[in-house]
């Protein structure tokens, strides 16, 4: 309830609203809410670029990270003069990230490592000073010193710190792309490999990303889509789609239509094609041929008395 929400962050053990882990350092916002651990706060602000409060959605230009105290009666408050306190050394601003201030310098330094281009292998071995100025340099270090690789698709799509990205051997990375992981956070989340565009041979982080790519970079047949809206069949380019029009529908190849967009000269039925042909290319047909071409096949439904009747007009017409 509301009272539970307002009491979050106070002098009792609490869980982070995002990751549900026990909080050691709590983030306090100007709106008064203190619901997140420092790690989730930084992940949202620096990786996702979302500076809103998770509770009330108010934009927070600044945030104060305090050590969570479990003594009774303690309640975290947002200092109104953070910048003055930072100048006097009372609080510690995060390097390279404006608006984040820490009560404890040691915790600020720990979070700096998390947010930097740091080698997670070296960090786990106790060396937190192995930092790099570029992703290229970090990748080269991982490859040459540890025989490890990061997934480029996950680097673009997985919204975590670089130090939280999963590292793979070359064979593990190949499996990761095609079938997913056998262990670790991606396997626990049910990841089964990155979907691939069959035309571009490019991997995407999720099915939604692949769908967006197919919708913007490739083409669908509007006639098939209208007939079967739940099917998703794509064509690489306009030439590929035109071949489909010619083989599956009624496609006008007359010389006068060659400069038109393919979608303007394909028709769903033989009758529609005949009308188009006579109206646009019928100058070479006799009056009788034009009349025949415009006749359509008719299939009458059951008539009164239950007697069925079928009638058909003449065929004809021509395509170029």
């Amino acid at each position: 309830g509301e009272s539970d929400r307002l009491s979050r962050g106070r002098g009792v053990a609490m869980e982070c609203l995002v990751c549900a882990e026990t909080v050691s350092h709590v983030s306090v916002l100007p709106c008064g809410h203190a619901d997140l651990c420092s790690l989730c706060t930084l992940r949202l602000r620096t990786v996702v670029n979302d500076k809103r409060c998770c509770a009330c959605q108010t934009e927070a230009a600044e945030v104060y990270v305090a050590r969570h105290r479990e003594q009774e009666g303690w309640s975290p408050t947002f200092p109104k003069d953070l910048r003055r306190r930072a100048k006097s050394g009372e609080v510690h601003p995060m390097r390279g990230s404006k608006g984040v201030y820490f009560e404890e310098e040691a915790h600020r330094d720990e979070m700096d490592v998390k947010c930097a281009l740091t080698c997670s292998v070296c960090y786990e071995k106790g060396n937190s000073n192995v930092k790099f100025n570029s992703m290229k340099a970090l990748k080269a270090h991982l490859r040459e010193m540890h025989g490890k690789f990061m997934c480029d698709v996950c680097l673009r799509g997985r919204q975590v710190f670089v130090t939280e990205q999963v590292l793979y051997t070359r064979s593990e990375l190949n499996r990761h792309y095609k079938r997913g992981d056998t262990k670790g956070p991606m396997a626990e989340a049910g990841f089964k490999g990155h979907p691939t565009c069959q035309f571009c041979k490019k991997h995407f982080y999720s099915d939604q990303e692949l769908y967006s790519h197919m919708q913007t970079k490739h083409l669908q047949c509007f006639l098939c889509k209208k007939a079967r809206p739940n099917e998703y069949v794509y064509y690489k380019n306009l030439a590929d789609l035109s071949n489909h029009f010619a083989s599956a529908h009624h496609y006008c190849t007359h010389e006068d239509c060659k400069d038109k967009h393919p979608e303007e000269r394909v028709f769903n039925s033989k009758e529609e094609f005949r009308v188009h042909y006579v109206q646009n290319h019928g100058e070479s047909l006799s009056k009788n041929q034009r009349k025949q071409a415009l006749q359509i096949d008719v299939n009458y439904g059951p008539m009164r008395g239950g007697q069925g009747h079928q009638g058909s007009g003449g065929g004809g017409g021509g395509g170029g």
Side-chain angles (χ1 to χ4, degrees), residues 196-202 204 210 213-214 217-220 232-237 240-241:
T196 308
C197 173
Q198 59 181 323
F199 304 123
C200 303
K201 307 303 179 188
K202 180 181 178 182
F204 293 87
L210 175 60
H213 168 81
M214 300 303 288
K217 300 298 183 182
H218 301 295
L219 303 168
Q220 286 180 286
Y232 295 87
V233 179
Y234 295 89
Y235 299 89
K236 183 177 182 180
N237 48 36
D240 194 18
L241 181 60

Side-chain angles (χ1 to χ4, degrees), residues 26-28 38 42 45 61-66 78-79 81-87 90-95 97-105 107-108:
V26 63
S27 298
V28 192
S38 54
L42 289 172
R45 294 178 74 89
E62 297 177 321
V63 59
Y64 176 61
V65 179
F78 183 83
D81 53 351
L82 273 174
R83 295 183 184 182
R84 181 194 64 77
R85 292 190 181 198
K87 287 182 179 179
E90 295 175 62
V91 299
H92 310 279
M94 188 165 188
R95 301 182 184 95
S97 181
K98 295 179 181 178
V100 184
Y101 300 85
F102 290 80
E103 177 188 17
E104 298 178 347
E105 186 176 12
H107 189 57
R108 188 276 310 271

Side-chain angles (χ1 to χ4, degrees), residues 118-131:
T118 306
C119 173
S120 57
V121 179
C122 293
Y123 180 71
E124 288 173 4
K125 293 179 179 178
N127 187 352
S128 61
N129 296 318
V130 186
K131 299 179 183 179

Side-chain angles (χ1 to χ4, degrees), residues 151-171:
C151 170
D152 287 331
V153 179
C154 288
L155 279 174
R156 293 194 305 268
R158 188 168 174 241
Q159 294 182 323
V160 296
F161 296 119
V162 171
T163 52
E164 295 176 320
Q165 294 286 355
V166 180
L167 301 180
Y168 303 94
T169 63
R170 193 175 293 279
S171 62

Side-chain angles (χ1 to χ4, degrees), residues 26-297:
V26 63
S27 298
V28 192
L29 277 63
C31 59
H33 289 116
D35 298 285
L36 270 60
C37 67
S38 54
L39 197 58
C40 285
T41 297
L42 289 172
R43 191 182 289 114
L44 283 170
R45 294 178 74 89
T46 63
V47 180
V48 185
N49 197 29
D50 186 351
K51 297 181 179 180
R52 294 172 300 171
C53 170
C54 286
C56 67
Q57 299 298 300
T58 303
E59 187 93 1
E62 297 177 321
V63 59
Y64 176 61
V65 179
R67 180 171 61 83
H68 182 261
R69 296 159 173 82
E70 294 188 13
Q71 65 258 37
E72 188 176 348
W74 179 79
S75 179
T77 56
F78 183 83
K80 301 298 183 183
D81 53 351
L82 273 174
R83 295 183 184 182
R84 181 194 64 77
R85 292 190 181 198
K87 287 182 179 179
S88 65
E90 295 175 62
V91 299
H92 310 279
M94 188 165 188
R95 301 182 184 95
S97 181
K98 295 179 181 178
V100 184
Y101 300 85
F102 290 80
E103 177 188 17
E104 298 178 347
E105 186 176 12
H107 189 57
R108 188 276 310 271
D109 294 343
E110 182 185 347
M111 292 298 102
D112 266 339
V113 172
K114 280 283 187 183
C115 295
L117 292 176
T118 306
C119 173
S120 57
V121 179
C122 293
Y123 180 71
E124 288 173 4
K125 293 179 179 178
N127 187 352
S128 61
N129 296 318
V130 186
K131 299 179 183 179
F132 300 87
N133 294 323
S134 69
M135 182 62 71
K136 183 178 179 180
L138 173 57
K139 286 181 176 180
H141 168 84
L142 287 167
R143 181 180 66 251
E144 294 164 11
M145 300 303 296
H146 307 298
K148 295 287 187 177
F149 303 85
M150 284 187 284
C151 170
D152 287 331
V153 179
C154 288
L155 279 174
R156 293 194 305 268
R158 188 168 174 241
Q159 294 182 323
V160 296
F161 296 119
V162 171
T163 52
E164 295 176 320
Q165 294 286 355
V166 180
L167 301 180
Y168 303 94
T169 63
R170 193 175 293 279
S171 62
E172 288 171 343
L173 184 60
N174 289 334
R175 178 194 168 88
H176 166 82
Y177 275 116
K178 296 176 182 177
R179 302 191 304 278
D181 299 2
T182 57
K183 59 183 178 180
M186 299 289 280
E188 292 168 8
F191 174 70
K192 300 298 181 184
H194 291 299
T196 308
C197 173
Q198 59 181 323
F199 304 123
C200 303
K201 307 303 179 188
K202 180 181 178 182
H203 295 285
F204 293 87
Y205 184 70
S206 64
D207 289 334
Q208 182 59 45
E209 274 194 10
L210 175 60
Y211 173 76
S212 297
H213 168 81
M214 300 303 288
Q215 288 289 105
T216 55
K217 300 298 183 182
H218 301 295
L219 303 168
Q220 286 180 286
C221 171
F222 72 99
L223 294 173
C224 292
K225 188 65 179 173
K226 185 177 180 180
R228 297 179 295 278
N230 294 326
E231 290 186 11
Y232 295 87
V233 179
Y234 295 89
Y235 299 89
K236 183 177 182 180
N237 48 36
L238 203 54
D240 194 18
L241 181 60
S242 298
N243 290 334
H244 164 76
F245 285 159
S247 63
H249 301 291
H250 302 273
Y251 191 52
C252 183
T253 57
H254 192 281
E255 189 67 29
D256 293 346
C257 275
K258 286 193 174 178
D259 290 334
K260 291 183 178 180
H261 191 281
E263 290 186 346
E264 295 180 305
R265 52 193 177 113
V266 64
F267 303 90
N268 196 38
S269 68
K270 184 166 55 176
E271 288 77 17
E272 289 175 354
F273 174 75
R274 287 174 182 168
V275 172
H276 160 81
Y277 193 84
V278 170
Q279 291 179 346
N280 293 276
H281 317 303
E283 65 279 352
S284 62
L285 300 177
S286 67
K287 186 176 180 180
N288 188 50
Q289 285 176 319
R290 289 168 62 90
K291 185 178 179 181
Q292 271 195 317
L294 290 173
Q295 286 183 302
I296 63 173
D297 295 335

